[in-house]
Amino acid sequence: MARKILVLGETKENELRNVSFEAIAAAHKAAEGGEVVGVLFGEGAASHAEAMIQHGADRVIVSEMDELKQYTTDAYMQAMEQVCEEEQAEGLVIGHTSSGKDLAPRLSRKLSSGLITDCVEIEGEGTNAQYIRPVYSGKAFEKIKMEDGFLFITIRPNNIPALEADSSRSGNIDTKTFTISNLRTIIKEVVKKSTGGIDLAEANIIVAGGRGVKSAEGFKPLEELAGVLGAAIGASRGACDADYCDYALQIGQTGKVVTPDLYIAAGISGAIQHLAGMSNSKVIVAINKDPEAPIFEVADYGIVGDLFDVIPALTEEFKKVTA
Ligand code: FAD
């Protein structure tokens, strides 16, 4: 049965995040030939609507109201509630990102809907679709089927492939204003942390350091390798707790959950809380001088050695192939 499914797109630093396209692909599976309607809020939203259409949205609702310039729970809640009511859609897909994780449970309560969070794969289509999500810190997966009611899912970035962009696609772009009142949070200024350019959640390659890097200076060889590979830098909580790097880089149960094509873990022991954030990476390379380190149990390639020898050697080799 064809259904209308909404997709809330997300921008970051005036760029449309890739998870928005992945959410459109997920919505098409749920829509079973029905309409997929993109929703975009914030500064410059209208300029990204076309990209959503090229990636599969049939129509896009945009709003550049001042109240929606930056994500705040209250404003986005109120606007999304109105979109859901006006559109009478049968479902909503959003990214399992910081703002998505904040918005989804509150909005699902308002809509009195169920919520399937952190979906990494979809099997089947329409009302027969099964939504797969990790449980027990990624040690197992559960499959959820929602046969009736409003379908609300959040998808983990980098897992559900986006559809190929098709520049011949066209669709309406509807500009809307909403009634937004009683805001408890007003963002006056955004102060960016300087943690490097590539978004960890959407990075294809991550070079992560742990307590084994021994100092903030010890991250330098990792940064050099990351520069050659076009990778993002990540870290274990051990490294963050030791003040070698910013907590924004932390990967794991209480940090970011990542699924890159390649994850290079240097000087990270592989505690269960760290594995919870990276064990679904497609290829894991572990560098550790302790051959018994648990990280080797999840690694596809293990290098037993001193990271300060291994990382520069890898950087030199990669320089030869990327030159
Ligand atoms: P360590 O365990 O100290 O390991 C350092 C490793 O470096 C060792 O294996 C050592 O052999 C190796 N090493 C040392 N020198 C070198 C060298 N020169 N070359 C190569 N290898 C070297 N942790 C997270 O990462 N993310 C989380 O989100 C997270 N959440 C948590 C939540 C809770 C509730 C709790 C209790 C803990 C959490 N932790 C988390 C902490 C976690 O349990 C570990 O303490 C942490 O992951 C350890 O970090 P590490 O591997 O860098 O340090």
Side-chain angles (χ1 to χ4, degrees), residues 1 13 22 38 46 54 63 72 80 91 97-98 123 156 167 185 204 209 211 255 274 276 290 297 301 312:
M1 188 190 67
E13 286 159 22
E22 296 163 358
Q54 289 180 6
S63 182
T72 65
M80 277 312 290
T97 57
S98 303
E123 272 179 15
R156 184 183 286 194
S167 56
T185 316
N204 288 326
R211 221 186 313 254
H274 186 75
D290 173 7
E297 285 166 30
Y301 299 94

Side-chain angles (χ1 to χ4, degrees), residues 4 27 44 47 62 76 80 83 85 92-93 128 185 193 218 228 241 246 254 262 272 277 300:
K4 186 201 274 190
S47 63
V62 296
Y76 272 53
M80 277 312 290
V83 172
E85 206 178 297
L92 169 63
V93 185
N128 286 321
T185 316
K193 280 192 173 176
V228 172
D241 283 346
D246 195 280
T254 43
L262 173 62
I272 180 76
D300 299 284

Side-chain angles (χ1 to χ4, degrees), residues 302-320:
I303 303 173
V304 179
D306 190 317
L307 72 93
F308 294 106
D309 298 329
V310 177
I311 293 274
L314 284 177
T315 307
E316 285 315 307
E317 287 305 313
F318 280 121
K319 268 185 192 164
K320 287 180 201 161

Side-chain angles (χ1 to χ4, degrees), residues 3 5 30 90-93 113-114 116 131 146 149-153:
R3 299 191 285 182
I5 307 288
E90 278 105 347
L92 169 63
V93 185
S113 74
I116 304 172
Y131 298 90
M146 229 171 120
F150 187 83
L151 174 82
F152 192 171
I153 63 171

Side-chain angles (χ1 to χ4, degrees), residues 211 214 236-237 250-251 253-254 267 269 273-274 288 307:
R211 221 186 313 254
K214 296 192 175 65
S236 70
R237 177 153 141 194
Q250 186 184 319
I251 290 165
Q253 187 181 318
T254 43
S269 59
Q273 296 89 356
H274 186 75
N288 198 302
L307 72 93

